[in-house]
Amino acid sequence: MNVDHLIATYGYAAVFVLVAVESLGIPLPGETALIAAAAFAGAHHAATPHHSHLLVWGIFAVGAAAAIIGDTVGYWIGDVGGFRLLRRYGHYVRLDEPKVKVARYLFARHGGKVVFFGRFVSVLRT
């Protein structure tokens, strides 16, 4: 199943899930889903202007809500149990104790910059 199929089949729900889960921190094609949904809406709007089931403004609203909700849930998970989860399951994603120490140091010293660039620079976020 590809992103185009998900958008054509599930519409706004697919956009919401993909963007929210990506914003939560799990690498999924959320940005690709937004682009595919916009292209789908534009192509179908041009073909049948009154029967398009996706509207660009709807995609914008759903994408924004999904990103905010995904970020908020990710923050909540990190705030409530982040360090414990990291120590317990970090080895599954190659985060051992020395890497965690470096990350804690970087966040303590440059937290705002790390969050800004990590969130808004696409290559770093991935």
Side-chain angles (χ1 to χ4, degrees):
M1 210 178 290
N2 61 27
V3 173
D4 291 336
H5 176 72
L6 290 172
I7 300 299
T9 305
Y10 300 106
Y12 295 120
V15 172
F16 184 87
V17 169
L18 289 169
V19 171
V21 174
E22 181 190 46
S23 293
L24 181 68
I26 298 170
L28 283 179
E31 292 176 16
T32 303
L34 286 172
I35 294 168
F40 183 82
H44 288 271
H45 182 72
T48 57
H50 300 294
H51 296 80
S52 177
H53 78 282
L54 288 180
L55 302 173
V56 174
W57 285 107
I59 295 165
F60 175 79
V62 168
I68 291 167
I69 290 169
D71 282 345
T72 303
V73 171
Y75 177 84
W76 178 78
I77 290 169
D79 187 43
V80 171
F83 189 64
R84 288 189 318 264
L85 290 169
L86 192 58
R87 291 191 72 180
R88 185 169 182 176
Y89 300 108
H91 64 278
Y92 290 113
V93 290
R94 296 187 211 163
L95 285 175
D96 53 9
E97 196 68 32
K99 289 178 185 173
V100 171
K101 285 182 182 180
V102 169
R104 289 184 67 141
Y105 167 78
L106 287 172
F107 272 101
R109 185 159 169 112
H110 305 286
K113 291 179 262 185
V114 169
V115 171
F116 177 81
F117 286 107
R119 179 66 181 131
F120 294 111
V121 177
S122 181
V123 174
L124 296 177
R125 181 175 62 235
T126 305

